[in-house]
Amino acid sequence: MKIIRYLIVALGCLFMFSAAQAQSTRLTVVYPGVSGGFTPLWIAHEKKLFAKYSLDVHPVYIQGGSRAVQALLAKDADVAVVSGGVIEATLRGADLKFMAAHLPSLAFSLYARPDIRQVQDLRGKVVGVTRYGTPTMYSAILALRKYGMDPTKDVKILATGGVSETLAAMQAGTVNAGILSAPVTLRARTMGYQEILRMGELGVPFIHDGIVSSTAYVSGHQKHLEGFLQGFIDGIRLFKTDRSLAESVMAKYTRVNDPALLRETYDTFNREFALKPFTPRSAIVNMLQLIAETEPKAAKANPDDFFDNRLLQNLEKRGYFDQAGK
């Protein structure tokens, strides 16, 4: 009899475990960089915030925005937290849309050697960016044009391969200035370089990073994606309200343990994260205008084809933004 009772208990536990597993939907989410901009995803994963919405989310690092987009297209991922490559892929026939934009402005800065005190001083100089066709390159173009310069004639834009590589190129004298992001910005200042422009000061809407999926996946998994957005926004809220937690999570994923570097990264992204991450249409317009310079299809594209705020609108109607954090 004891054996039978033990067997019944064991089967009951197995059933409950299987039921719990069945109730959680697995989502594979790719992200293309080890940057503070992805901390809300990391926090939500570490603190099991997605589980509140019956989701089993697996964040996967894939180096480079184009590779993250390819993972979506190959259906190796359900969601991507990315910016670069999304619009370009859609122009080529892919069916991708931004569902949210938690970084709706460029979180970069333009740094230069001490004798370059303003953007206009870059005339005839070389400016480093990570890669061509990336937000760092678009940052350089926007900054130069804002101050009356032609990026194709008045300066040379050079791809270095990464933000740290841009700083190394500045040290080597290969470039005179560079587009940098935290925490490399702090390293640049300790080496004597100066911030001559923070991109956010330009006031130009532009998606530094957003949440992307395919229309087909959204149509079949609306409830799950709304849950993902809630967990992600909960992660933004925790980032903003618990600095210690945010810095410890950043340290784990970026393998940066220097408190000063973590503070630099936190301060930068705390300023830029949007708690209501609706994708601004104006950001898509600005991105299309820049992409059109190398991809003619972008000039005639309809900005509304590249984003969909309906999931966030559903959450807003249900009072999520009013109730969250209470």
Side-chain angles (χ1 to χ4, degrees):
M1 291 298 294
K2 285 185 178 181
I3 294 176
I4 294 175
R5 284 199 299 269
Y6 288 146
L7 182 60
I8 291 172
V9 171
L11 289 172
C13 290
L14 179 61
F15 174 80
M16 288 187 292
F17 176 77
S18 299
Q21 289 288 91
Q23 291 172 0
S24 294
T25 298
R26 180 185 174 111
L27 287 183
T28 299
V29 181
V30 293
Y31 63 96
V34 184
S35 158
F38 303 106
T39 311
L41 174 65
W42 301 335
I43 289 176
H45 179 65
E46 291 291 318
K47 303 304 290 184
K48 304 187 185 308
L49 302 181
F50 294 118
K52 295 193 303 180
Y53 307 103
S54 301
L55 296 176
D56 179 21
V57 172
H58 290 252
V60 177
Y61 169 54
I62 297 179
Q63 186 177 23
S66 60
R67 292 178 180 174
V69 170
Q70 285 300 317
L72 274 183
L73 297 179
K75 298 183 180 180
D76 293 329
D78 306 306
V79 177
V81 185
V82 69
S83 173
V86 175
I87 289 179
E88 294 88 341
T90 304
L91 288 168
R92 292 191 294 268
D95 189 20
L96 303 178
K97 291 184 187 291
F98 285 98
M99 298 182 296
H102 61 292
L103 282 171
S105 59
L106 290 162
F108 296 108
S109 291
L110 177 60
Y111 272 74
R113 63 193 192 198
D115 61 304
I116 298 173
R117 299 184 178 181
Q118 55 186 354
V119 178
Q120 294 91 326
D121 295 338
L122 290 172
R123 195 177 300 274
K125 304 291 195 303
V126 183
V127 178
V129 301
T130 57
R131 295 178 180 86
Y132 300 120
T134 63
T136 57
M137 188 191 81
Y138 296 139
S139 293
I141 292 172
L142 289 168
L144 293 165
R145 286 181 177 163
K146 176 73 173 181
Y147 290 90
M149 283 186 281
D150 185 334
T152 63
K153 297 178 181 179
D154 295 325
V155 302
K156 179 181 179 181
I157 294 178
L158 181 68
T160 65
V163 174
S164 295
E165 288 79 0
T166 296
L167 180 58
M170 292 167 67
Q171 289 179 275
T174 308
V175 302
N176 308 105
I179 303 295
L180 305 179
S181 60
V184 175
T185 45
L186 178 60
R187 292 182 178 141
R189 291 200 300 277
T190 61
M191 294 175 183
Y193 298 104
Q194 298 181 17
E195 182 185 59
I196 58 175
L197 180 68
R198 182 172 66 82
M199 293 303 131
E201 295 172 354
L202 294 175
V204 178
F206 195 104
I207 301 176
H208 184 109
D209 277 313
I211 298 171
V212 180
S213 191
S214 68
T215 300
Y217 192 82
V218 173
S219 64
H221 301 83
Q222 179 175 316
K223 179 181 176 182
H224 302 141
L225 291 174
E226 287 180 3
F228 175 78
L229 290 173
Q230 289 177 88
F232 192 97
I233 297 167
D234 290 349
I236 296 175
R237 187 170 292 103
L238 259 182
F239 181 99
K240 287 180 171 288
T241 57
D242 192 336
R243 182 181 191 125
S244 177
L245 170 67
E247 291 186 359
S248 67
V249 171
M250 284 191 292
K252 175 179 178 178
Y253 281 82
T254 64
R255 298 182 181 179
V256 172
N257 295 304
D258 186 324
L261 295 176
L262 292 170
R263 286 195 299 271
E264 177 87 357
T265 306
Y266 179 89
D267 290 340
T268 296
F269 288 101
N270 187 45
R271 181 173 56 230
E272 304 293 349
F273 281 141
L275 280 169
K276 290 188 176 183
F278 289 89
T279 303
R281 187 178 190 275
S282 55
I284 302 294
V285 170
N286 290 332
M287 295 168 77
L288 282 169
Q289 288 176 346
L290 286 169
I291 293 169
E293 297 178 15
T294 54
E295 175 51 75
K297 288 182 180 179
K300 298 180 180 179
N302 182 353
D304 297 324
D305 293 338
F306 300 88
F307 73 103
D308 187 350
N309 281 325
R310 285 180 297 175
L311 298 183
L312 288 175
Q313 290 166 350
N314 291 342
L315 296 180
E316 188 172 49
K317 288 176 184 176
R318 295 205 298 268
Y320 165 72
F321 294 108
D322 297 327
Q323 299 169 9
K326 291 183 179 179

